[in-house]
Amino acid sequence: MVTTELITRARAGDGEAFRTLTEPYRRELLMHCYRMLGSFQDAEDALQDTLLSAWQGLERFEGRASIRTWLYRIATNRCLDALRSAKRRPAKEWNIPDIELPAPSRLGEIVWLEPFPDALLEGTADTPLGPEARYEQTEAISLAYVTALQILPARQRAVLVLREVLGYHADEVADMLGATVDSVNSALKRARATLQRRLPPSGEEAPPRAIDSPAERVLVAKFVRAYESGDVDELVALLTADVSVSMPPIPLEYHGRDVVARFYASIFGRGPRYHLVPTRANGQLAFGVYLRTATGGIRHGAGLLVLTVSGNRICALTRFDNDVLPSFGLPRSLPG
């Protein structure tokens, strides 16, 4: 009855009633748009488009599904529209001439990717999921999972997220996408096959550490000491044998401990030193990276570094441009 009253008031133009109606779903919808688009900035734009479309189309809400499901339908289709109309994001070249990198192991397929601030994950863990959801919310926001999603064609991506992350039934997804149940099931089968090739089998990776556990604090302390001092040997000792380094939107990727050791030898070898500010992204350890100067002057942002941890070691390091720092409440520069 409360929802019915709010809908009636919102249809009459009561903006506060509309906000009360939709605010409980804002963060989970933002996360949904992020999974679809792989970009935090684009997800924020898609969320605003979703809420505007819902406000303008509230008269057409028939009540056959919940407000939450109706909003997911709008959000999914706004994301599909954005993916259809978006131009391919250009890759960037390495642009620090004083640092000559070794030859990469390969060029990455996905260059347009942004991290998601953990501060906005609060409350979404309690999101009610359907019975067919296969992925835990923390797993489904990890960089590895979001990156794998971007490999999928847009419609397969939508089906997979709606079915296996949110747990909607096939007939509900078909209704959201204006498709048949058979086409939804077919898209899900193809999407699952692609993800199985991209992600490690369930249970193969060591379970993640508890946030801010004693073991995590030890790892953080060792990593910060190695990185800030430019000690390649100490840093490499913290890495798995199959560790990877990537730097979207720069497509260069480095795989394996020996290759990554050469990469960081080139980064640290010319003398720049860094200051790390801890944060969290995609449910993972992350650091704002700032370049220290010999004179002790202003430390300018050099990017955001996100760590993927397996057991006692780091299995992936992903560096993002400093454009993402404000989304994490981090400044572009620090005083000397």
Side-chain angles (χ1 to χ4, degrees):
M1 292 180 62
V2 173
T3 300
T4 301
E5 179 185 347
L6 288 172
I7 292 173
T8 300
R9 287 167 49 196
R11 282 173 172 165
D14 187 334
E16 187 59 36
F18 178 77
R19 281 189 290 275
T20 302
L21 197 64
T22 58
E23 187 63 27
Y25 311 111
R26 175 182 285 270
R27 286 196 174 184
E28 61 175 282
L29 288 168
L30 177 63
M31 191 189 302
H32 176 61
C33 294
Y34 171 71
R35 289 189 182 105
M36 287 291 298
L37 301 173
S39 161
F40 180 67
Q41 293 180 356
D42 290 350
E44 289 188 308
D45 291 342
L47 175 61
Q48 294 307 314
D49 288 345
T50 296
L51 296 176
L52 179 59
S53 295
W55 171 251
Q56 294 174 337
L58 196 55
E59 286 292 338
R60 296 191 295 276
F61 176 65
E62 300 174 351
R64 293 186 295 112
S66 67
I67 282 286
R68 178 175 180 264
T69 296
W70 182 65
L71 289 171
Y72 267 106
R73 175 177 186 161
I74 297 172
T76 302
N77 284 285
R78 292 292 80 76
C79 289
L80 290 173
D81 290 343
L83 290 168
R84 280 191 290 265
S85 62
K87 295 180 180 178
R88 183 177 177 84
R89 304 273 188 174
K92 289 186 178 181
E93 295 184 357
W94 180 254
N95 58 359
I96 305 178
D98 291 341
I99 299 177
E100 184 176 349
L101 297 180
S105 302
R106 70 183 187 199
L107 298 181
E109 296 177 74
I110 303 300
V111 297
W112 185 249
L113 185 71
E114 291 178 335
F116 192 95
D118 267 26
L120 297 179
L121 295 176
E122 295 174 6
T124 57
D126 299 325
T127 298
L129 302 179
E132 299 190 36
R134 293 180 59 187
Y135 291 95
E136 295 289 340
Q137 290 295 291
T138 51
E139 179 185 4
I141 199 64
S142 70
L143 273 182
Y145 186 81
V146 173
T147 301
L149 284 178
Q150 308 314 303
I151 301 291
L152 299 173
R155 205 165 181 83
Q156 287 185 31
R157 193 181 314 172
V159 169
L160 186 83
V161 172
L162 291 169
R163 292 277 280 116
E164 303 216 323
V165 176
L166 296 167
Y168 282 108
H169 292 293
D171 56 343
E172 293 175 298
V173 176
D175 184 60
M176 288 181 181
L177 300 179
T180 65
V181 171
D182 285 346
S183 67
V184 164
N185 288 335
S186 177
L188 179 61
K189 182 178 180 179
R190 295 195 299 274
R192 280 175 174 170
T194 300
L195 252 65
Q196 285 175 356
R197 294 193 296 271
R198 296 281 173 174
L199 296 174
S202 178
E204 184 173 292
E205 289 190 340
R209 298 174 181 274
I211 293 176
D212 201 33
S213 66
E216 183 179 270
R217 289 196 293 270
V218 169
L219 180 63
V220 166
K222 290 181 178 179
F223 177 79
V224 170
R225 182 173 62 247
Y227 205 97
E228 290 189 339
S229 65
D231 189 326
V232 175
D233 291 337
E234 188 177 356
L235 178 62
V236 169
L238 302 176
L239 309 179
T240 62
D242 60 350
V243 65
S244 66
V245 169
S246 57
M247 302 176 286
I250 299 170
L252 308 180
E253 291 187 359
Y254 296 85
H255 294 268
R257 190 185 290 141
D258 292 342
V259 177
V260 169
R262 291 197 296 273
F263 170 83
Y264 276 110
S266 67
I267 294 293
F268 297 144
R270 296 297 295 271
R273 291 295 178 261
Y274 300 94
H275 172 69
L276 302 184
V277 177
T279 184
R280 296 192 72 88
N282 296 75
Q284 301 170 214
L285 290 170
F287 300 88
V289 181
Y290 294 85
L291 184 62
R292 298 201 317 239
T293 64
T295 60
I298 293 175
R299 292 165 289 177
H300 293 287
L304 186 90
L305 190 62
V306 182
L307 309 187
T308 303
V309 176
S310 177
N312 297 318
R313 297 180 185 273
I314 298 163
C315 61
L317 303 97
T318 308
R319 180 260 183 190
F320 297 94
D321 277 351
N322 59 4
D323 291 347
V324 309
L325 293 175
S327 298
F328 290 80
L330 296 173
R332 293 183 183 273
S333 61
L334 295 172

